[in-house]
Each structure stands twice: as C-alpha cells, then as structure tokens.
C-alpha cells in the first residue's frame, strides 16, 4: 500500500512508474461469520444421512447457545434431507482465538439425542481444543482420524 | 463409601504387588492379617514403599471395621467391636507421626491402578492401546465392554471414585461424559482415556481398529474420496 507513495517520492531511484504493483506475501480473505441460523454446513463424518446427496444442502435451524452464534464445540440443530438432526460444530470459517485452527468450511458432525455420534469415522481434521472445553467431546475425538 | 475404601485398599494391594504376581488368595490373606492386627502389630513382609500405605490404612481402620468382612469371615465382627476402644488411643499417637505425609496413600492413579480396578470389576474385553506420540491426544486409550448398561455405569463411577481418592491437590477433577447415553460412556483422565461400551456399540464403532491402525483403518478406507463436481468454479475470496 505504501509502494505508490514511495514511487512518487523517490523518482530518481526507482525506474518503474507503472500502475501500482501490489505484492503481498500473505493471503487476504473476506470476513466470515460464525455458524448461525440458516448457514449451510458441511457434514464431515461418514454417516449415511450426511453423505447421501440431496437437492438442498444441510442448514442450521437452531443454535443451542445463549446468543445464536455457534463456535467450535456448540450443538446445533440441522435440517438434513427433510428431517431434523442435532450436530456438533467442529470447525468454522470465522477466525477464533489465536493459535486455534481456522477451517475453510463450516464443519459439523452429526450427533444423536443421547450424544453418540451418528457416523463412525471422521476423516477431516478435528481441533484438539475440543478436549479442554466443557462438554462431552471425547466420543467425537475418539472417532476422529486426524487432529489439528 | 466405607465399602469402596475397602475395595480400593484391596485393589491397591493388588496393584502394588503386580510385579511380585501374588494371587488373589495371598492378597486376601494379607488384608485379613492387616485388619486383624489393626495394621501395626503383625509384621507382614511388605516392601518399604508399602509401609506408608499400611500406616495410612491404619488411619482408616477405626472407621470401617464393621464393613470389611467380605474376605475375612463374620467371626471377626464381634472382636472388632471390643478392639475399637483400645485401638483408638494407639491410632491417635500414630496420627501425629503420620501427619508429615498428608496423604495416607503414596499411590498415584496410574494405568496399572486403572487396569487392575477394571479387572476387579469383571470388565469384559479390556483393551489398552498405547497411543503413539505424534498424536497428542492421550498416552493410553482403553476400551472396555460391560455386561449391561448398569454394569458400565458402575464401572465408570467406581473408576472415578478411586481417582478422587488418589487425586493430589492441583490435579483436575474428572467427569463422566455421555451419562445420558446408556451404551457408551467415556472418562478422560488427562493422560488416559477410557471408553465403556456395550459389545454391540463396540462392534459398530470399532475404536480399537481405528486407534491401532491409524490411517489404514478399514472404515476410513471405505469413505469415498471427495471429488469436486465438474461445474465447480473456485471464486477466490477478494478483499472488499
């Protein structure tokens, strides 16, 4: 961003006066919101309900937190294939705390009402910060393959 | 509570002598000797590390004499009632000497303790897996089956009770996860994770297979690889 100004100020030293060359060594992305009502989510376990194709993507219809915002480790209610199913958020696009992983998709693991996961394996990396959180996450961590 | 303490004493004795590989009868004999002699009269051949344990156990003797008759016989009951009064004086003097070691037990809740308590609880198909170091989740992963949901709950509660007993100051408490699910319960003790499941649930999830063959697990291989659809266009996120 400072390049064009510098180019103007030092005309003797710098030769190229073409249009602004923005060279960045880091990636820039838009701001992303956390999981809330009506967000489309990606089911990452190997359950049949989450993997069979349907004409509508699974959407969140309720977030079980005090505010309606869902972060990693929060339970949500999804509408999948015309039925309601509870799920656990295991990663979202919104940047969270420092030194916690940020995912490129809002990942979710389907869960039964008694807390047992519906699928049996999770291929997608799962954050290890779930372990320190209050809540029943050991079952989801037990069926996960990779940890981030 | 007193019953649990008796059982935990027995279990600790079995855990202590694991290397010596004493059988069940020898252990019960030792426990009976201890309770008979009020823990500081008869010199039982114990290693030095267990001296503290014996003295510590004497602290608790006056509180559970009436319950500890499961392996010593019912005749001891009447003897103990009389012995109580004369022994309390000696226990008081013992107490001052033991004050230096604030915890009566020098045991730590290790894997050996947990495995022996699960064996004692008639756990079905006990499986202990050493988790490789590059997976920074836990050091040991235990999967246990039970006969019924009630059995699983009893095992989980007993494990937590023993942990609370052996816990030192500063170590965090542990809770049972999955209390509402009757077929699968977990307890996460920091470096060890235990899963109590019914045999049917165990067949469905196959946790041992996943945790031994990490990436080569069959169920993982069965998951079809994710492919992008043909009409997929990646819209690179541009800054606003």
């Amino acid at each position: 961003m400072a390049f064009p100004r510098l180019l103007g100020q030092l005309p003797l030293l710098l030769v190229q006066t073409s249009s602004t060359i923005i060279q960045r060594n880091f990636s820039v992305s838009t701001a992303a919101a956390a999981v809330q009502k009506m967000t489309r989510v990606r089911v990452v376990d190997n359950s049949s309900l989450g993997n069979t194709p349907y004409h509508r993507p699974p959407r969140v219809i309720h977030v079980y937190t005090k505010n309606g915002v869902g972060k990693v480790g929060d339970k949500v209610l999804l509408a999948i294939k015309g039925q309601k199913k509870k799920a656990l958020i295991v990663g979202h696009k919104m940047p969270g705390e420092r030194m916690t992983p940020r995912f490129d998709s809002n990942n979710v693991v389907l869960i039964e009402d008694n807390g047992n996961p519906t699928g049996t394996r999770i291929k997608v990396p799962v954050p290890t910060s779930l372990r320190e959180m209050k809540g029943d996450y050991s079952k989801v961590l037990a069926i996960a393959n990779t940890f981030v | 509570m007193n019953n649990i303490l008796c059982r935990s004493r027995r279990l600790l004795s079995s855990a202590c002598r694991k290397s010596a590989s004493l059988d069940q009868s020898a252990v019960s004999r030792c426990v009976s000797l201890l309770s008979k002699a009020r823990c500081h009269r008869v010199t039982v051949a114990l290693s030095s590390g267990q001296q503290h344990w014996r003295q510590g156990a004497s602290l608790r003797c006056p509180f559970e004499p009436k319950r500890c008759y499961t392996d010593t016989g019912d005749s001891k009951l009447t003897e103990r009632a009389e012995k109580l009064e004369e022994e309390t004086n000696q226990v008081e003097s013992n107490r001052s000497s033991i004050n230096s070691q604030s915890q009566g037990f020098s045991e730590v809740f290790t894997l050996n303790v947990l495995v022996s308590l699960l064996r004692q609880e008639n756990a079905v198909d006990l499986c202990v897996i050493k988790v490789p170091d590059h997976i920074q989740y836990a050091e040991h992963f235990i999967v246990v089956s039970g006969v019924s949901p009630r059995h699983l709950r009893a095992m989980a509660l007993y494990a937590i009770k023993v942990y609370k007993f052996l816990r030192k100051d500063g170590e965090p408490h542990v809770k049972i996860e999955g209390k509402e699910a009757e077929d699968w319960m977990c307890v996460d003790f920091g470096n060890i994770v235990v899963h109590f499941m019914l045999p049917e649930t165990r067949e469905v999830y196959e946790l041992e297979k996943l945790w031994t063959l990490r990436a080569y697990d069959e169920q993982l291989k069965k998951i079809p690889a994710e492919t992008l659809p043909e009409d997929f266009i990646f819209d690179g996120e541009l800054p606003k």
Side-chain angles (χ1 to χ4, degrees), chain B residues 94-165:
Chain B
N94 250 6
R95 236 182 259 264
S96 49
S97 62
I98 293 163
N99 264 341
S100 52
Q101 38 177 31
S102 47
Q103 302 113 6
F105 285 82
S106 58
E107 275 289 325
V108 181
F109 190 81
T110 55
L111 183 67
N112 290 337
V113 172
L114 185 57
V115 170
S116 39
L117 85 88
L118 286 172
R119 284 212 180 107
Q120 188 190 321
E121 287 286 304
N122 299 322
V124 179
D125 294 336
L126 170 64
C127 178
V128 180
I129 300 166
K130 172 97 179 71
V131 177
D133 285 330
H134 60 87
I135 301 166
Q136 281 149 0
Y137 176 42
E139 287 167 10
H140 295 271
F141 191 86
I142 305 180
V143 187
V144 201
S145 282
V147 174
S148 64
R150 207 179 151 83
H151 184 210
L152 296 175
R153 197 173 286 272
M155 279 199 283
L157 289 169
Y158 182 49
I160 294 212
K161 211 152 221 169
V162 174
Y163 176 79
K164 275 202 257 186
F165 194 59

Side-chain angles (χ1 to χ4, degrees), chain A residues 24 28-31 42-46 51 75 93 102 104 112-124 128 131 133-147, chain B residues 135-138 141 175-186 188-193 195 201 204-207 209-211 214-215 217 219-220 223-226 237-240:
Chain A
R24 296 193 188 98
V28 183
S29 50
T30 53
R42 174 190 174 199
V43 176
V44 293
D45 57 8
N46 66 344
N51 289 68
K75 286 217 178 83
K93 282 173 105 175
R102 188 188 80 91
D104 287 336
E112 306 286 336
D113 286 331
N114 58 6
N116 281 8
T118 312
T120 58
R121 296 286 186 264
I122 302 174
K123 228 177 176 180
V124 164
T128 46
R131 206 173 167 214
M133 286 193 214
K134 279 187 175 182
D136 301 350
Y137 306 122
S138 288
K139 296 186 182 180
V140 171
L141 290 170
I143 63 171
N145 181 34
T146 21
F147 297 99
Chain B
I135 301 166
Q136 281 149 0
Y137 176 42
F141 191 86
K175 63 175 247 204
I176 302 183
E177 300 183 11
K179 258 187 179 164
E180 26 323 321
E182 51 181 36
D183 62 342
W184 187 359
M185 272 174 266
C186 324
D188 185 353
F189 303 98
N191 48 355
I192 318 169
V193 184
H195 288 263
T201 322
V204 171
Y205 288 103
E206 289 180 341
L207 288 181
K209 282 193 186 174
L210 173 65
W211 284 84
R214 257 338 231 145
D217 183 49
Q219 290 197 32
L220 271 176
I223 300 174
E226 284 201 44
E237 287 147 1
L238 303 163
K240 283 184 181 171

Side-chain angles (χ1 to χ4, degrees), chain A residues 37-91:
Chain A
K37 283 193 185 183
M38 296 308 283
T39 49
R40 289 158 296 183
V41 289
R42 174 190 174 199
V43 176
V44 293
D45 57 8
N46 66 344
S47 55
S48 53
L49 191 59
N51 289 68
T52 43
Y54 192 61
H55 55 84
R56 301 189 65 186
R59 277 179 191 265
V60 175
I61 51 179
H62 189 263
V63 183
Y64 292 105
T65 50
K66 289 294 178 186
N67 53 350
V69 179
K71 300 288 175 82
V72 177
D74 292 333
K75 286 217 178 83
V76 295
L77 186 63
L78 299 185
I80 281 190
K81 295 192 72 180
Q83 43 187 288
K84 294 179 279 194
K85 193 83 180 170
K86 278 203 183 162
L88 184 82
I89 302 176
V90 292

Side-chain angles (χ1 to χ4, degrees), chain B residues 39-72:
Chain B
C39 313
H40 52 258
R41 292 288 173 80
V42 177
T43 49
V44 184
L46 291 169
S47 60
S48 56
Q50 287 152 13
Q51 291 296 333
H52 307 290
W53 175 79
R54 205 155 45 92
Q55 286 164 0
S58 71
L59 265 178
R60 286 147 184 89
C61 274
F63 302 107
E64 73 257 5
K66 291 156 194 79
R67 299 286 194 96
C68 289
Y69 52 74
T70 42
D71 52 357
T72 56

Side-chain angles (χ1 to χ4, degrees), chain B residues 69-83:
Chain B
Y69 52 74
T70 42
D71 52 357
T72 56
D74 303 299
S75 57
K76 306 279 181 292
L77 265 178
T78 46
E79 293 176 8
R80 272 196 211 103
E82 300 150 39
K83 274 191 190 174

